[in-house]
Amino acid sequence: MWLFLGIVFSLGVLIPGKHSLKLQYDRDQVLHIVPETFQQVQHLQHLCSSLLLDLWKPLLPEDIWAGEDLHIRVPAPLVQEVKDSLDQHMISYKVLISDVQELVDQSMRRERTSHTQVLEGYVYTQYHPMEEIYQWMTQIQKSNSELVTQHYLGKTIENRTMYYLQISQPSDKTKKIIWMDCGIHAREWISPAFCQWFVKEILQNYKSDPKISRFLKNLDLYILPVLNIDGYIYSWEKDRLWRKNRSPHMNGTCYGTDLNRNFNSSWGSIGVSYNCSSEIFCGSGPESEPETRAMAQFIERKKSDILCYLTIHSYGQYILTPYGSTTKPPSNSEELMRVAKKASAALMGKYGTRYEVGSTSLILYSNSGSSRDWAHMIGIPFSYTFELRDKGSHGFVLPPDQIQPTCEETMLAVTTIIDYIDQKYFPGGAVMLTSGSLGLSLCLSVVLTWTVS
């Protein structure tokens, strides 16, 4: 009976919408549990697997550990039975979210932006559907044509166009690149909101902020506001908690690949599922998805110029370094950690928000096929995942009133990383020292010393 109910309710309740059926999460609850014993862990793993409960943290039942946080969404019809089962096994729990649908409604409560409004003033403190983000990209390029260009990246599985923005000050020298992508997971709406905020802040402040002004002389910024466009649209129109892209599998009986398990970095080896109905289905092979492939091929072509890869996610408040598939640290692990801690401190300085810093496999869970690991493996020296607010009070459904403080503090962290890279590779704001230029300067130094003496 429980298994049947789990299958029926784990995805939410379908109700007729204006244009189509829309999943509702009325009175679904998110529970916070910290199991204390191995027996409790076993019971929770069985409960989550048999009822197909929606794990928010961690993502797999086998990653449930004693002493570690567990966040699970429980469908309304199962709430009491699940709580009774926890009580029977002496497992303490706390209700993080008492009604998921209330939060969903809150995140979508907004005035629809007309084309005129986009031109007059974009509202960065609310979430925007993809149609408006497309309009915003077009407008931001038109309004800042001396600095911003919009470029084609590829097509999604549903044939939508992927664009990235390039922020570049005109220069006669070859510049290096900082890459940032948002929205690889559809339900993490705060992520695209940050990419948009980041672009706004750079464009508003590059003339007055000496740090931004300095790094733009040496670095171009490439921003992909939404990587998983089909999934993002689906999260607005059908299922707010959708995570994956929308590729069909098993003759259309299940949909979606987790794009952050689909990159060619130890693909399919750990922390994934081969079941296409799973939230962490890794696809049929590395880069099997057009979205992954488009981004990977582009970055591969540019990798010799890319100094830093940033990918923005939620939730949990982490700055994560490579790797997820192994606990063996990368060769520049010490520097990666030092810079991340510096960024975390800058972030905390704004509102006191604490971010944990470390490699994914050591402080979160093991996974393979992530974009962050892949970027570092192909030779991009600095590669980080940001997991933005919060710690679980709202989870994936962060209210709009959290957008501004989240983006303000994250901006400080990201610009700290970029500033460090700028100063490392362009000391004193000068042209980057190559091995050739360094050799020439040493020769001149020797000649001058000999002449003077």
Side-chain angles (χ1 to χ4, degrees), residues 155-356:
K155 292 280 190 179
T156 68
I157 193 74
E158 293 182 344
N159 206 36
R160 294 185 175 96
T161 304
M162 303 165 68
Y163 297 109
Y164 68 92
L165 295 175
Q166 179 179 342
I167 301 178
S168 176
Q169 276 197 326
S171 173
D172 53 4
K173 65 177 179 182
T174 303
K175 292 195 283 182
K176 295 295 182 179
I177 295 167
I178 306 290
W179 171 278
M180 180 164 65
D181 59 65
C182 292
I184 196 169
H185 290 141
R187 63 191 176 188
E188 299 167 9
W189 286 8
I190 188 61
S191 168
F194 175 69
C195 259
Q196 294 166 77
W197 185 280
F198 176 81
V199 170
K200 166 187 80 81
E201 286 293 302
I202 294 294
L203 296 177
Q204 283 181 356
N205 298 309
Y206 77 96
K207 288 179 180 174
S208 58
D209 186 314
K211 185 193 289 186
I212 297 173
S213 177
R214 186 177 62 247
F215 67 57
L216 276 186
K217 287 175 183 158
N218 304 310
L219 301 166
D220 288 345
L221 308 175
Y222 286 49
I223 301 103
L224 178 60
V226 186
L227 170 53
N228 181 9
I229 294 171
D230 298 340
Y232 186 71
I233 290 171
Y234 194 81
S235 73
W236 273 86
E237 295 180 353
K238 302 285 179 68
D239 178 1
R240 173 64 183 84
L241 297 178
W242 188 259
R243 170 183 167 92
K244 303 181 287 181
N245 78 344
R246 291 295 300 163
S247 56
H249 303 281
M250 305 277 289
N251 297 317
T253 55
C254 64
Y255 282 82
T257 294
D258 182 345
L259 298 178
N260 204 39
R261 302 290 184 278
N262 192 237
F263 284 81
N264 194 12
S265 51
S266 304
W267 177 87
S269 60
I270 192 168
V272 300
S273 172
Y274 297 104
N275 177 352
C276 62
S277 62
S278 167
E279 294 282 33
I280 51 173
F281 173 55
C282 59
S284 58
E287 297 177 19
S288 61
E289 308 306 299
E291 297 91 345
T292 314
R293 203 159 51 246
M295 193 174 95
Q297 288 175 355
F298 178 80
I299 290 177
E300 190 76 51
R301 288 197 302 272
K302 296 274 189 181
K303 67 181 179 183
S304 61
D305 290 322
I306 300 175
L307 296 177
C308 180
Y309 173 85
L310 301 171
T311 182
I312 313 298
H313 293 244
S314 75
Y315 65 94
Q317 295 173 199
Y318 298 98
I319 303 176
L320 300 170
T321 64
Y323 295 108
S325 57
T326 176
T327 54
K328 184 183 175 183
S331 57
N332 64 335
S333 176
E334 190 184 325
E335 186 179 26
L336 282 167
M337 286 292 292
R338 190 171 71 251
V339 176
K341 285 176 180 174
K342 196 176 177 185
S344 174
L347 186 152
M348 191 169 75
K350 185 68 177 175
Y351 295 110
T353 311
R354 291 184 180 275
Y355 270 54
E356 194 174 347

